[in-house]
């Protein structure tokens, strides 16, 4: 299956200059609905509710978001100060995935060269993301097969790091897809990913569409599945990787990592290099987004906890490098648990 979670549609939009189109991930898999985002307000809202989500896709949203701001500013007559303010709103719409700010920063410096230069750079960034995902998937697949010594793998994954979370192909699910193409996937356990169910709604949708054998399990089953010897590896994405190899990813990843460590099962983190933040020395400095408590105290809009109970809703956690067997990027595979760090090993771009 190939779908584009985020793309630029040339010639569309109210002034015919093109439009940023996203697949609304809040309503998948029940409905396949596309949203055209023509204002900064609409883009920021889409990012906040996770209509567009996943670190690499947020990078693309950030870069194309600068074009959205330029086009809106031209329509309504923003001065340079207002334009900067609005671009910063996009940049800061979610704090944990470094890719969002990175995407904005990659292209906003081109604004003096004009809107077309910004658009060209944003589209190039999106294309580079797909190429990076495909390359890191090949490298990760090689590493996993060599490390486990198995021909067919039983894989656990957490959250959604598939084509929906990227410009195309996927990171963790890109690795699964690559292994599947090699006939090397036996089974995938997809953690449902409370509270917003990215695993149950999105990962399972992608796996089903590709005919990859899988089951959805509750997040709290993961540790037991791993310690019972039912998986050969865990493969997850990342929202930010610090210079020392600490990894921020969807809440619950840390529990998967601890169980893998205990069981001697490798945890592989798959992410494009754009997710590596060498300015962040270690995970302690990574801001973990805290979302509204009612995402936890309700289920499908129905209150499940007593009305007087608050919800605690950190959206991410940070896994220490010592529990990360491998980080696969398009630049190669490093082994943080064995002492290799992105900061030490970063080759030239
Ligand atoms: O809150 P989300 O759905 O944006 O969180 C997504 C994740 O944690 C993914 O694992 C991560 O962004 C990597 S996506 C390739």
């Amino acid at each position: 299956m190939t779908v584009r979670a985020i793309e630029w549609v040339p010639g569309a939009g109210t002034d015919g200059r093109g439009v940023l189109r996203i697949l609304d991930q809040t309503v998948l898999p029940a409905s396949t609905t596309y949203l055209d985002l023509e204002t900064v307000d609409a883009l920021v809202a889409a990012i906040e509710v996770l209509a567009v989500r996943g670190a690499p896709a947020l990078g693309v949203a950030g870069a194309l978001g600068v074009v959205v701001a330029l086009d809106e500013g031209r329509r309504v007559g923003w001065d340079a100060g207002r334009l900067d303010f609005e671009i910063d709103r996009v940049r800061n719409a979610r704090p944990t995935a470094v890719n969002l700010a990175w995407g904005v920063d990659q292209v906003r410096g081109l604004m003096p060269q004009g809107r077309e230069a910004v658009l060209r750079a944003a589209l190039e960034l999106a294309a580079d993301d797909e190429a990076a995902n495909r390359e890191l998937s090949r490298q990760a697949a090689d590493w996993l097969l060599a490390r486990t010594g198995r021909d067919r793998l039983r894989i656990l994954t957490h959250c959604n790091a598939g084509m929906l979370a990227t410009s195309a192909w996927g990171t963790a699910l890109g690795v699964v897809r690559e292994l599947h193409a090699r006939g090397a996937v036996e089974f995938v356990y997809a953690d449902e990913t409370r509270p917003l169910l990215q695993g149950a709604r999105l990962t399972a949708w992608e796996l089903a569409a590709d005919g990859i054998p899988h089951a959805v399990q509750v997040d709290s089953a993961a540790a037991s599945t791993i310690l019972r010897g039912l998986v050969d590896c865990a493969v997850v994405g990342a929202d930010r990787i610090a210079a020392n190899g600490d990894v921020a990813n969807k809440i619950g990843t840390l529990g998967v990592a601890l169980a893998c460590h205990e069981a001697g099962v490798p945890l592989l983190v798959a992410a494009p290099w754009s997710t590596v933040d060498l300015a962040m020395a270690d995970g302690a400095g990574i801001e973990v987004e805290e979302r509204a408590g009612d995402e936890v105290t309700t289920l499908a809009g129905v209150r499940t906890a007593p009305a007087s109970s608050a919800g605690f809703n950190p959206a991410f956690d940070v896994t220490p490098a010592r529990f990360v067997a491998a980080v696969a990027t398009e630049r190669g595979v490093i082994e943080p648990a064995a002492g290799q760090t992105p900061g030490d090993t970063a080759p030239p771009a």
Side-chain angles (χ1 to χ4, degrees), residues 292-317:
D294 61 10
E295 288 181 351
V296 174
T297 54
T298 60
L299 206 54
V302 178
R303 181 95 192 173
T304 51
S308 58
S309 298
F312 176 50
N313 192 11
F316 300 96
D317 57 30

Side-chain angles (χ1 to χ4, degrees), residues 199-223:
R201 294 187 303 108
L202 309 178
T203 295
W205 187 67
E206 291 195 39
L207 291 168
D210 280 351
I212 299 175
H214 68 281
V216 177
Q217 64 180 358
V218 294
D219 299 339
S220 43

